[in-house]
Amino acid sequence: MGCDACLPIRTGYTVSFQKSSDVKKLEKYFKDISQNQWKTLGEDMFWMREDIFWSFMDYVHQHLDPRHVWAVEAKQRSPFENLRGMEPITVFQKMKDALWIDELIEDKRICSYYQPIVSIDHERVHIVGHEILSRGLEEDGSIIPPFKMFEAAQIRNKTFALDRACRLEAVKNASIIDRQLIFINFIPTAIYNPEHCLASTFALIQELNIKPEQIVFEVIETEDVQDIEHLKNILNYYRSHGFKYALDDVGVGYNTLKRLLEVEPDVVKLAFEFTNGVSKNEKQKKVAQEMLAITHKMGAKALAEGVETEEDLKCLIEMGYDLFQGYYFAKPHPTPVKEIHSIYV
């Protein structure tokens, strides 16, 4: 848990040894480690800071039987609080393997790609905005896909930190977009108190003189939002400051058609699963038509994302969709596309 205004709290692990003989072998390991980084909790139990714990895991695998060493995440001031949650140390290997995401966030190795959002009038394509998509950067400059970043962040309990870093980078790179809409993703479950959690985001927008009415904050849900009232609170906070908001991937996962009526977004995005191939699939057409009807009834714009073929595009235009996005127009690019020629006939 955290927010834009909060500093990260250093944590650690309480470690227990099932074999007393293993404890004696630790004397050599701990002798060169400062006392403020670990402490004895009993004859067979220790607390150690997180960074010490990760190197300690290597020591256990080399010199002890890891099946007999158990651990649980714990704060230094309350090392006994979660003892019932102890697990074999081998369970924490995935978290250790995902440590790279911490460095990526700390070093701000995140860049932005832009994908145009268009309207079509009299068979001419008009760019009305851009979605800013985050990509991670390896130390050699190669691209890390977003799903890989957020998968590692979830393992490391760093979803909030990564979401915030991507959001701020997107805002910083949005300043080159002139007068058009700017779609910026955010994960609602990473925001606890919008007034505090969005403080630095709003401050950066103001510092860069970006007009609030240009920005559309796009709800992406990687997990179920249990508290719909909390989601509404976040979205109302955006709207009260002059921003718009969109609901992404409607039709799949947790973004159901029913939810549209509850959060009343300015833009509703039909998921790729229902856009791609819609011209040849009656079930997809039905979902697309239902979403369109609800969206227009609310007075919102309907956006079809993932458009890849002319046949699907024509089908969606005939239905009455307002906006479009997808490879048919342009792939995500390191700089915003300035113009799309009349590719629709």
Side-chain angles (χ1 to χ4, degrees):
M1 188 175 291
C3 69
D4 282 8
C6 301
L7 294 174
I9 299 173
R10 184 176 291 277
T11 186
Y13 289 82
T14 295
V15 179
S16 173
F17 296 85
Q18 310 299 307
K19 293 175 64 176
S20 57
S21 58
D22 287 344
V23 180
K24 295 180 181 180
K25 297 179 182 179
L26 289 178
E27 294 179 1
K28 180 179 179 181
Y29 178 80
F30 280 123
K31 70 174 184 179
D32 296 323
I33 300 176
S34 172
Q35 284 287 328
N36 66 349
Q37 297 176 313
W38 69 283
K39 65 178 180 181
T40 301
L41 303 177
E43 291 184 0
D44 58 358
M45 191 174 292
F46 299 82
W47 179 89
M48 59 189 73
R49 215 169 62 179
E50 186 180 46
D51 52 335
I52 302 300
F53 177 70
W54 301 127
S55 58
F56 168 75
M57 280 182 61
D58 293 336
Y59 179 87
V60 169
H61 280 84
Q62 291 177 17
H63 302 283
L64 307 175
D65 186 341
R67 294 174 299 176
H68 298 151
V69 183
W70 288 47
V72 67
E73 189 172 358
K75 296 176 182 176
Q76 186 172 11
R77 61 177 178 265
S78 53
F80 300 107
E81 188 174 7
N82 301 314
L83 293 185
R84 289 186 178 181
M86 276 200 160
E87 299 176 287
I89 201 169
T90 51
V91 171
F92 298 91
Q93 188 61 44
K94 281 188 176 181
M95 291 189 71
K96 188 174 186 294
D97 293 340
L99 278 172
W100 60 269
I101 197 66
D102 296 46
E103 296 179 4
L104 182 144
I105 295 169
E106 186 176 350
D107 297 342
K108 299 179 180 178
R109 286 189 279 112
I110 297 169
C111 66
S112 295
Y113 273 55
Y114 305 80
Q115 188 172 32
I117 292 169
V118 308
S119 65
I120 295 177
D121 181 35
H122 294 94
E123 301 186 356
R124 293 192 64 84
V125 179
H126 305 276
I127 298 175
V128 299
H130 299 265
E131 181 177 356
I132 300 182
L133 303 161
S134 296
R135 302 287 187 266
L137 291 172
E138 297 280 10
E139 292 185 357
D140 63 4
S142 57
I143 296 294
I144 303 173
F147 78 87
K148 185 178 179 181
M149 287 197 299
F150 281 96
E151 184 180 74
Q154 188 173 25
I155 293 171
R156 291 282 299 131
N157 296 318
K158 293 293 178 71
T159 300
F160 163 77
L162 180 58
D163 179 63
R164 176 182 180 272
C166 290
R167 192 180 341 119
L168 290 175
E169 186 67 16
V171 170
K172 184 178 74 174
N173 293 323
S175 58
I176 64 174
I177 298 174
D178 186 26
R179 294 188 297 275
Q180 296 170 326
L181 293 175
I182 302 162
F183 284 68
I184 295 175
N185 296 325
F186 81 98
I187 299 174
T189 48
I191 295 174
Y192 305 96
N193 182 320
E195 185 175 357
H196 295 291
C197 292
L198 299 171
S200 59
T201 301
F202 285 12
L204 183 58
I205 289 170
Q206 188 174 28
E207 179 186 333
L208 296 173
N209 294 316
I210 300 172
K211 295 177 181 179
E213 59 266 26
Q214 277 185 268
I215 294 184
V216 182
F217 283 105
E218 186 171 324
V219 181
I220 56 172
E221 292 184 353
T222 55
E223 54 185 299
D224 194 2
V225 178
Q226 299 293 337
D227 189 349
I228 189 66
E229 291 303 318
H230 178 59
L231 175 59
K232 287 182 184 179
N233 185 38
I234 297 170
L235 298 177
N236 288 335
Y237 189 76
Y238 279 134
R239 186 167 279 167
S240 69
H241 285 75
F243 303 104
K244 299 179 179 68
Y245 56 86
L247 201 61
D248 189 29
D249 281 344
V250 171
V252 297
Y254 303 106
N255 275 330
T256 64
L257 296 176
K258 182 180 178 182
R259 176 149 296 182
L260 294 179
L261 296 173
E262 298 184 80
V263 301
E264 298 181 338
D266 299 283
V267 179
V268 179
K269 300 182 76 172
L270 179 66
F272 172 85
E273 288 84 348
F274 296 95
T275 300
N276 189 257
V278 67
S279 59
K280 301 175 182 178
N281 188 300
E282 291 303 319
K283 290 183 179 179
Q284 289 178 225
K285 281 183 185 179
K286 183 178 179 182
V287 173
Q289 289 167 340
E290 288 178 356
M291 193 208 87
L292 180 67
I294 294 174
T295 300
H296 282 175
K297 186 176 181 180
M298 291 188 301
K301 297 285 187 182
L303 190 160
E305 61 180 344
V307 178
E308 295 189 352
T309 69
E310 185 172 311
E311 292 75 20
D312 289 342
L313 176 59
K314 286 182 177 180
C315 180
L316 292 160
I317 290 173
E318 289 172 3
M319 283 187 199
Y321 272 76
D322 308 292
L323 303 172
F324 308 89
Q325 180 181 1
Y327 284 9
Y328 182 74
F329 305 101
K331 293 182 178 181
H333 196 268
T335 57
V337 173
K338 298 295 184 182
E339 183 179 359
I340 297 176
H341 297 289
S342 301
I343 56 177
Y344 169 64
V345 179

